[in-house]
Amino acid sequence: MASFLYRLGRLAFRRRRLVALIWVALLALAGFGAASAPAATSSSFSVPGTEAQKAFDLLEERFPGGSADGATARVVFKAPSGEKMTDPGPKAEVTGAVAALKSGSGQVASVTDPYTAQAVSKDGSTAYVSVTYKVGSMELTDDTLHALKETGERARSTGLTVETGGDALQAAPETGAGEIIGVVIAGVVLAVTFGSLIAAGLPLLTALVGVGIGISTITALAAVFDLGTTTSTLAMMIGLAVGIDYALFIVSRYRAELTGGREKEEAAGRAAGTAGSAVVFAGLTVVIALVGLAVADIPLLTKMGFAAAGTVVIAVLIALTLIPALLGFAGDRVLGRKARHGKAVSDKTNVGARWARLVLRHPVAVLLVGVVGLGAIAVPAASLEVGLPDDGSQPVSTTQRKAYDLLSDGFGPGFNGPLLVVVDGDRAEADRAVELMRNLDGAAAVTAPTFNKAGDTATITVIPKDRPSSLATEDLVHEIRDKSSDNVYVTGATALNTDFSQKMSDALLPYLALVVGLAFLLLMVVFRSVLVPLKAALGFLLSVVAALGAVVAVFQWGWLGSLFGVEQTGPIMSMMPIFMIGVVFGLAMDYEVFLVTRMREAFVHGQRPEEAIVTGFRHSARVVIAAAVIMIAVFAGFIGSSEQMIKMIGFGLAIAVFFDAFIVRMAIVPAVLALLGRRAWWLPRWLDRTLPNVDVEGEQLNKELSQSPGGSDEDRELIPV
């Protein structure tokens, strides 16, 4: 592989104008596709194979023409103190609001009158109007949303308390200036690391080109593949981080080759052949982790994984082709001023080398401090509660949360999470189901069955006594299913949440086995070792569990919540653990590959295991730390998002990268390798003969170059990183 990438790097360097033109053309083509594509709708959410999804599919089949996919809104009215919603004044205002909503937009499918739909609380203080739309929330026009808001404002001016909830108010997540600040921080880190604005600008430029192509492609295909706004946001997050990092490693290696006396084209080729090989395998681990999310069999999660994996592939291709091309334009200006004038000082006793020697002197102490520290942070993960967000998880200042609280106070805590029971049978079957559910302790109310036109399917609404996210409501879902016949199905948002959480839990171990297993084999090929990949996997598990502990402490317990803009604590999103495992595993393996590959290279060329560790840190620690800081800055930039899911993932990934890069890779890894000694690089002979030799260290490339007519004694020596 190193030989192929060496030739590719030299070709891109020589044909730099053509390569740059191709990437600019791809960016323009993707941008044109995004601009001309139809507007994306809100991504549909389904959980195949679950009872809640079967019920939903049955409703689609037996109740044709329904608005199951349409947005919904609830306008909640509360009378002033001492008055009731049934009094003439408030009743007239609500009746007028119903009429205004019906005529306010052509996108309205139905509006219920609370006085005929029994939507007034028993004490008469609260009433609500349900609005169903013909289209999804992302397709609602500004006029429709304005009519909804204006209705509430008009009624509010008469003294009524009016709040609005429902997914009709759902908007595309706003990330504000956070991600821009993250990119700025990345630029500063690059400038400090390289001492050259040109060298700092190249990774930023190429990462933005890659993200631009990736996001534009997702936008262009959003309507075709039912991709939601969250998909592109997460692809941007991952694409920016790995795009900057991969380019950083290529540029860093190119600078090292130049200072070692190589010609520019040769330096570009060697950078692509050595650091480029590490980029390919690091990218493969990320892609495996993201594509492996399909194991959960959740379409939304699968699409997110594939979209993010696509941006990673683009980042790898750009690092291998566009970076060498741009290095051809930059020449030796990628070096700092001192290096360009031959004043560079020796780097043999840098901070990385000194830190490695410190760890080698106290490996047991460093290992214990690292493991115990991360173990302590991981303790909150034992209290992890998962669920899907609803209006109850919104900040208390929002109208959605206020509407949620008004309904809970007026109609009971379970009113915000009704269960929809679908009976595939006749009236007798439906009546038996109603009687059974009315005798359950967890049910506060059970409505009479509503049949379709054919009379063979009925729907029944069950109001739980407890709030939607409680264990009591979850138990009620299971109790109905256990005691009912096979043709009775429980669905609705609350039941779907329960099924989704269960499916994610069931998929966790198979996903871990698949991703860690494939990556273990990949790393065994790269490092020609059994214990190094095993150590890498165990270190990852430690860092990801610690990160989950931090997420629970902040988002579920509320510790330091105000510092991160967490206004409302609640369960952790069901997909968070498996998504974090997928993304963090791929990113953690990046640092493992870049750091340990250099140690392996030194060991192969005759250095003792302890010397190889110091050599790896001397040449790679500074760049790995810079890459980690950049990735943390990019992820942390998304903590400012208005979308709870994006905020949580941004925080989780940022803290996970911090734990993995600075504690696991910089402390635990050298400590373990020091304790293992030569055993760290042990590989059974039969396995060594079986595994393909991909030459990540560039050893075969060195031999080929040394045997070429232009080879020299310098070519026969170890290539400096």
Side-chain angles (χ1 to χ4, degrees):
M1 177 179 289
S3 300
F4 169 76
L5 295 179
Y6 167 80
R7 293 191 294 270
L8 179 63
R10 294 193 63 166
L11 178 63
F13 186 95
R14 288 197 305 270
R15 303 293 181 88
R16 48 188 173 272
R17 290 181 177 81
L18 176 61
V19 172
L21 182 62
I22 290 174
W23 282 108
V24 170
L26 289 175
L27 178 61
L29 182 63
F32 175 77
S36 58
T41 61
S42 55
S43 180
S44 60
F45 181 78
S46 62
V47 189
T50 62
E51 180 172 321
Q53 188 62 44
K54 291 177 182 176
F56 183 82
D57 294 340
L58 185 62
L59 286 174
E60 289 282 295
E61 176 187 346
R62 303 289 177 84
F63 288 83
S67 301
D69 293 331
T72 58
R74 273 181 174 175
V75 184
V76 187
F77 301 85
K78 184 176 177 62
S81 178
E83 297 184 30
K84 293 185 177 182
M85 291 305 303
T86 52
D87 293 342
K91 185 174 182 179
E93 288 299 328
V94 173
T95 302
V98 170
L101 288 169
K102 287 181 178 179
S103 60
S105 170
Q107 292 184 313
V108 174
S110 65
V111 180
T112 62
D113 186 331
Y115 301 102
T116 59
Q118 298 180 342
V120 180
S121 62
K122 290 182 179 180
D123 61 4
S125 65
T126 310
Y128 68 90
V129 175
S130 294
V131 186
T132 303
Y133 295 92
K134 300 175 183 177
V135 296
S137 59
M138 302 304 294
E139 299 170 87
L140 295 177
T141 64
D142 292 338
D143 291 340
T144 298
L145 294 175
H146 178 71
L148 179 63
K149 294 177 182 178
E150 187 178 20
T151 300
E153 292 172 358
R154 189 163 48 244
R156 194 177 292 117
S157 65
T158 66
L160 294 175
T161 299
V162 185
E163 304 296 345
T164 307
D167 61 6
L169 300 183
Q170 177 183 333
E174 298 176 1
T175 50
E179 70 275 25
I180 298 176
I181 295 174
V183 173
V184 171
I185 293 175
V188 172
V189 173
L190 288 169
V192 172
T193 302
F194 288 137
S196 165
L197 292 178
I198 296 294
L202 288 182
L204 287 176
L205 175 62
T206 54
L208 291 175
V209 170
V211 168
I213 294 174
I215 299 303
S216 296
T217 303
I218 291 172
T219 303
L221 300 176
V224 177
F225 293 104
D226 189 27
L227 305 177
T229 53
T230 304
T231 302
S232 58
T233 304
L234 293 174
M236 180 192 302
M237 185 189 299
I238 304 300
L240 271 177
V242 301
I244 293 174
D245 276 7
Y246 294 166
L248 166 64
F249 288 111
I250 300 291
V251 173
S252 176
R253 186 72 182 230
Y254 175 76
R255 283 160 50 94
E257 297 292 345
L258 281 184
T259 56
R262 307 287 184 194
E263 293 295 328
K264 296 182 181 63
E265 182 179 328
E266 179 69 10
R270 287 178 178 261
T274 51
S277 297
V279 165
V280 169
F281 279 95
L284 274 176
T285 59
V286 180
V287 169
I288 288 172
L290 291 171
V291 172
L293 291 171
V295 170
D297 193 26
I298 305 293
L300 175 64
L301 197 59
T302 301
K303 293 170 188 175
M304 289 164 55
F306 273 85
T311 61
V312 173
V313 171
I314 293 173
V316 171
L317 294 176
I318 283 180
L320 297 177
T321 56
L322 184 57
I323 283 291
L326 294 181
L327 290 174
F329 290 111
D332 59 5
R333 285 175 294 177
V334 297
L335 299 174
R337 183 175 301 178
K338 290 183 179 180
R340 289 201 300 270
H341 293 84
K343 298 179 181 179
V345 296
S346 174
D347 197 38
K348 293 185 178 180
T349 58
N350 63 11
V351 175
R354 291 198 295 272
W355 169 253
R357 292 192 181 97
L358 175 63
V359 175
L360 289 176
R361 287 197 297 270
H362 310 284
V364 176
V366 171
L367 179 61
L368 286 176
V369 170
V371 172
V372 172
L374 289 180
I377 298 173
V379 169
S383 302
L384 175 69
E385 296 178 7
V386 295
L388 291 177
D390 57 16
D391 285 347
S393 63
Q394 295 278 356
V396 293
S397 59
T398 61
T399 185
Q400 295 98 316
R401 175 59 187 274
K402 291 177 181 178
Y404 181 96
D405 291 339
L406 286 176
L407 289 172
S408 181
D409 294 339
F411 296 89
F415 189 80
N416 284 291
L419 305 178
L420 182 62
V421 178
V422 182
V423 180
D424 184 9
D426 56 17
R427 181 168 296 276
E429 185 73 29
D431 290 340
R432 283 194 295 270
V434 170
E435 183 179 359
L436 182 150
M437 290 181 288
R438 284 177 177 169
N439 291 324
L440 299 179
D441 292 337
V446 180
T447 66
T450 301
F451 283 85
N452 62 347
K453 291 182 179 180
D456 59 357
T457 307
T459 59
I460 304 166
T461 300
V462 180
I463 306 299
K465 289 182 179 179
D466 214 333
R467 66 187 190 280
S469 58
S470 69
L471 291 176
T473 301
E474 183 177 334
D475 290 340
L476 176 61
V477 172
H478 293 306
E479 190 174 9
I480 295 174
R481 289 173 173 172
D482 293 340
K483 294 184 177 180
S484 300
S485 59
D486 293 339
N487 59 338
V488 176
Y489 307 96
V490 184
T491 187
T494 302
L496 191 65
N497 182 7
T498 300
D499 290 349
F500 180 79
S501 300
Q502 184 61 49
K503 188 158 188 175
M504 297 303 295
S505 299
D506 294 342
L508 195 58
L509 288 180
Y511 175 71
L512 268 175
L514 173 67
V515 173
V516 176
L518 288 176
F520 181 86
L521 293 176
L522 190 64
L523 293 178
M524 197 158 54
V525 171
V526 173
F527 296 129
R528 319 298 297 179
S529 164
V530 174
L531 295 180
V532 170
L534 179 61
K535 174 262 311 167
L538 293 177
F540 147 74
L541 290 174
L542 186 59
S543 61
V544 79
V545 173
L548 279 174
V551 169
V552 169
V554 173
F555 289 88
Q556 185 176 311
W557 292 358
W559 292 4
L560 302 177
S562 59
L563 182 63
F564 300 101
V566 181
E567 298 183 31
Q568 181 62 37
T569 60
I572 305 304
M573 281 174 300
S574 302
M575 68 175 66
M576 185 68 182
I578 196 170
F579 185 82
M580 271 192 64
I581 287 172
V583 176
V584 174
F585 183 82
L587 299 180
M589 294 306 103
D590 282 0
Y591 304 122
E592 183 75 13
V593 169
F594 289 123
L595 184 63
V596 182
T597 295
R598 188 59 183 88
M599 299 179 191
R600 163 77 183 170
E601 186 176 341
F603 179 77
V604 166
H605 286 82
Q607 291 189 4
R608 292 185 297 107
E610 295 78 7
E611 294 174 343
I613 294 172
V614 175
T615 299
F617 270 77
R618 177 186 300 127
H619 292 297
S620 302
R622 185 181 181 187
V623 179
V624 168
I625 289 174
V629 171
I630 289 169
M631 202 169 277
I632 291 169
V634 172
F635 289 147
F638 288 85
I639 296 176
S641 173
S642 62
E643 176 66 39
Q644 183 82 342
M645 177 179 177
I646 301 299
K647 181 191 293 288
M648 191 180 295
I649 290 179
F651 172 82
L653 293 183
I655 200 71
V657 169
F658 174 80
F659 290 154
D660 197 87
F662 289 95
I663 300 179
V664 173
R665 307 303 154 191
M666 288 290 135
I668 294 177
V669 164
V672 172
L673 291 177
L675 293 173
L676 289 175
R678 289 187 174 273
R679 289 170 295 180
W681 308 107
W682 170 77
L683 185 70
R685 291 183 179 179
W686 66 268
L687 190 56
D688 188 31
R689 292 191 298 268
T690 304
L691 294 177
N693 187 357
V694 294
D695 191 30
V696 175
E697 300 87 1
E699 184 180 7
Q700 185 62 35
L701 175 62
N702 276 345
K703 293 179 180 179
E704 292 178 6
L705 294 176
S706 64
Q707 294 170 1
S708 65
S712 63
D713 291 339
E714 183 182 16
D715 290 326
R716 297 183 180 92
E717 297 176 357
L718 176 63
I719 300 176
V721 178

